[in-house]
Amino acid sequence: MAWSRIAVFASGQGSNFAALVQAQREGRLGSGNIELLVSDKPEAPVAQRAEEAGIPSLLLRPKDFAGREQYEAAIVAELKRRDIGLVVLAGYMRLISPVLLEPYAGRIVNIHPSLLPAFAGKDAIGQALEYGVKVTGVTVHFVDGGMDTGPVIAQRSVEVQSEDTAESLAERIHQVEYALYPEVVAALADGKVTLNGRKAVIAD
Ligand code: GRF
């Protein structure tokens, strides 16, 4: 299994998916190659983006399966068939069960729009505004069985301005995501990330 063979999982707009595809086109994804989009929402805009980019997609509705395990087993079968080595969650709005976590232990990453462990879960940007923090940001982390609880790989801060709305702050956070995620995915694909306990290190 090569880490360079990547599946991106997304449920919505897919702007991070698009940023990763763009990075690959521009040679900024290291040895990473996006082989597959997986989405639990066949009607989501991200599916259209994959089609336009010529990237194969696996679009499965969880409700068409007997349960989460069966749904994930179908995904794992396709990941194995395509020899996928790295799973990149980009706005995938589901918790991952052991059916997927175990075969891909240490090879699933996520991006979250806050400086974890602050504001885990849904609407992290709204949570940060509501709390009144002056600095928030973006976290890329390994995925474990919890909600945004896995070891942090990289973080970048974004200042909150007094006039910020959820939209204006989200826009600046997204721009940071589009830069940071390809950098981290490239490092992962190139085998430059090591994990010791909860401490992840990216080699130069
Ligand atoms: C991003 O803000 C990401 O941090 C979060 O979900 C959002 C996905 O946006 N996990 P998009 O679908 O990539 O546009």
Short mmCIF file of all heavy atoms in Angstrom, two decimals, residues 8 17 34-38 50-51 53-59 78 81-82:
data_model
loop_
_atom_site.label_atom_id
_atom_site.label_comp_id
_atom_site.label_asym_id
_atom_site.label_seq_id
_atom_site.Cartn_x
_atom_site.Cartn_y
_atom_site.Cartn_z
N VAL A 8 -9.91 11.13 -1.12
CA VAL A 8 -10.44 12.28 -0.38
C VAL A 8 -11.91 12.00 -0.09
O VAL A 8 -12.65 11.57 -0.98
CB VAL A 8 -10.29 13.58 -1.19
CG1 VAL A 8 -10.87 14.77 -0.40
CG2 VAL A 8 -8.83 13.85 -1.53
N PHE A 17 -11.32 19.91 -1.36
CA PHE A 17 -11.03 18.90 -2.39
C PHE A 17 -10.45 19.59 -3.63
O PHE A 17 -9.42 19.18 -4.17
CB PHE A 17 -12.33 18.15 -2.73
CG PHE A 17 -12.23 17.25 -3.94
CD1 PHE A 17 -11.60 16.02 -3.85
CD2 PHE A 17 -12.77 17.64 -5.16
CE1 PHE A 17 -11.50 15.18 -4.96
CE2 PHE A 17 -12.68 16.82 -6.27
CZ PHE A 17 -12.04 15.59 -6.18
N ILE A 34 -4.34 11.97 -6.16
CA ILE A 34 -5.73 11.76 -5.73
C ILE A 34 -6.39 10.78 -6.69
O ILE A 34 -6.62 11.08 -7.86
CB ILE A 34 -6.49 13.11 -5.67
CG1 ILE A 34 -5.79 14.05 -4.70
CG2 ILE A 34 -7.95 12.87 -5.26
CD1 ILE A 34 -6.26 15.49 -4.76
N GLU A 35 -6.68 9.60 -6.15
CA GLU A 35 -7.20 8.50 -6.97
C GLU A 35 -8.71 8.40 -6.92
O GLU A 35 -9.32 7.79 -7.79
CB GLU A 35 -6.63 7.16 -6.47
CG GLU A 35 -5.13 7.08 -6.42
CD GLU A 35 -4.52 6.90 -7.79
OE1 GLU A 35 -5.24 6.48 -8.72
OE2 GLU A 35 -3.31 7.19 -7.92
N LEU A 36 -9.31 8.96 -5.84
CA LEU A 36 -10.73 8.69 -5.61
C LEU A 36 -11.34 9.76 -4.72
O LEU A 36 -10.71 10.21 -3.76
CB LEU A 36 -10.85 7.32 -4.90
CG LEU A 36 -12.25 6.79 -4.60
CD1 LEU A 36 -12.98 6.42 -5.90
CD2 LEU A 36 -12.18 5.56 -3.69
N LEU A 37 -12.59 10.13 -5.04
CA LEU A 37 -13.42 10.90 -4.11
C LEU A 37 -14.45 9.95 -3.52
O LEU A 37 -15.09 9.19 -4.25
CB LEU A 37 -14.16 12.03 -4.84
CG LEU A 37 -15.28 12.66 -3.99
CD1 LEU A 37 -14.71 13.56 -2.90
CD2 LEU A 37 -16.28 13.41 -4.85
N VAL A 38 -14.61 9.99 -2.21
CA VAL A 38 -15.67 9.24 -1.55
C VAL A 38 -16.63 10.25 -0.94
O VAL A 38 -16.21 11.16 -0.23
CB VAL A 38 -15.11 8.32 -0.43
CG1 VAL A 38 -16.25 7.64 0.33
CG2 VAL A 38 -14.17 7.27 -1.03
N ALA A 50 -15.46 16.53 -8.76
CA ALA A 50 -14.64 15.36 -9.08
C ALA A 50 -14.83 14.98 -10.55
O ALA A 50 -13.86 14.67 -11.25
CB ALA A 50 -15.01 14.18 -8.18
N GLU A 51 -16.08 15.04 -10.97
CA GLU A 51 -16.36 14.68 -12.36
C GLU A 51 -15.60 15.62 -13.31
O GLU A 51 -14.95 15.18 -14.26
CB GLU A 51 -17.86 14.75 -12.61
CG GLU A 51 -18.26 14.04 -13.88
CD GLU A 51 -19.77 14.00 -14.06
OE1 GLU A 51 -20.50 13.99 -13.06
OE2 GLU A 51 -20.18 14.00 -15.23
N ALA A 53 -12.96 17.23 -12.72
CA ALA A 53 -11.51 17.01 -12.62
C ALA A 53 -11.09 15.65 -13.17
O ALA A 53 -9.90 15.34 -13.21
CB ALA A 53 -11.08 17.14 -11.15
N GLY A 54 -12.07 14.84 -13.55
CA GLY A 54 -11.75 13.50 -14.08
C GLY A 54 -11.28 12.54 -13.01
O GLY A 54 -10.54 11.59 -13.31
N ILE A 55 -11.72 12.77 -11.78
CA ILE A 55 -11.33 11.88 -10.68
C ILE A 55 -12.50 10.93 -10.37
O ILE A 55 -13.63 11.39 -10.19
CB ILE A 55 -10.93 12.70 -9.44
CG1 ILE A 55 -9.64 13.46 -9.76
CG2 ILE A 55 -10.76 11.81 -8.20
CD1 ILE A 55 -9.23 14.46 -8.73
N PRO A 56 -12.25 9.62 -10.34
CA PRO A 56 -13.33 8.67 -10.06
C PRO A 56 -13.96 8.94 -8.70
O PRO A 56 -13.28 9.40 -7.78
CB PRO A 56 -12.64 7.31 -10.05
CG PRO A 56 -11.31 7.52 -10.65
CD PRO A 56 -10.95 8.96 -10.50
N SER A 57 -15.25 8.66 -8.58
CA SER A 57 -15.88 8.87 -7.28
C SER A 57 -16.70 7.66 -6.86
O SER A 57 -17.24 6.93 -7.70
CB SER A 57 -16.72 10.14 -7.26
OG SER A 57 -17.60 10.14 -8.33
N LEU A 58 -16.75 7.47 -5.56
CA LEU A 58 -17.58 6.44 -4.95
C LEU A 58 -18.64 7.19 -4.15
O LEU A 58 -18.32 7.83 -3.15
CB LEU A 58 -16.72 5.57 -4.03
CG LEU A 58 -17.48 4.46 -3.30
CD1 LEU A 58 -17.99 3.40 -4.28
CD2 LEU A 58 -16.57 3.81 -2.24
N LEU A 59 -19.85 7.17 -4.65
CA LEU A 59 -20.93 7.94 -4.03
C LEU A 59 -21.94 6.95 -3.44
O LEU A 59 -22.65 6.28 -4.19
CB LEU A 59 -21.61 8.83 -5.09
CG LEU A 59 -20.66 9.70 -5.93
CD1 LEU A 59 -21.43 10.43 -7.03
CD2 LEU A 59 -19.91 10.69 -5.06
N GLU A 78 -13.51 -0.82 -1.67
CA GLU A 78 -13.11 -0.01 -2.83
C GLU A 78 -11.71 0.61 -2.60
O GLU A 78 -10.90 0.69 -3.53
CB GLU A 78 -14.16 1.09 -3.07
CG GLU A 78 -13.92 1.94 -4.29
CD GLU A 78 -14.06 1.18 -5.61
OE1 GLU A 78 -14.59 0.05 -5.61
OE2 GLU A 78 -13.62 1.73 -6.64
N ARG A 81 -9.31 -2.14 -3.25
CA ARG A 81 -9.27 -2.45 -4.68
C ARG A 81 -8.37 -1.45 -5.43
O ARG A 81 -7.67 -1.80 -6.37
CB ARG A 81 -10.70 -2.41 -5.25
CG ARG A 81 -10.88 -3.09 -6.58
CD ARG A 81 -12.33 -3.08 -7.02
NE ARG A 81 -12.78 -1.78 -7.45
CZ ARG A 81 -12.50 -1.24 -8.63
NH1 ARG A 81 -11.77 -1.89 -9.50
NH2 ARG A 81 -12.95 -0.03 -8.94
N ARG A 82 -8.40 -0.21 -4.96
CA ARG A 82 -7.60 0.84 -5.62
C ARG A 82 -6.25 1.05 -4.95
O ARG A 82 -5.55 2.01 -5.28
CB ARG A 82 -8.37 2.16 -5.63
CG ARG A 82 -9.58 2.13 -6.54
CD ARG A 82 -10.29 3.46 -6.53
NE ARG A 82 -11.49 3.43 -7.34
CZ ARG A 82 -11.53 3.70 -8.65
NH1 ARG A 82 -10.44 4.03 -9.29
NH2 ARG A 82 -12.67 3.64 -9.31
#
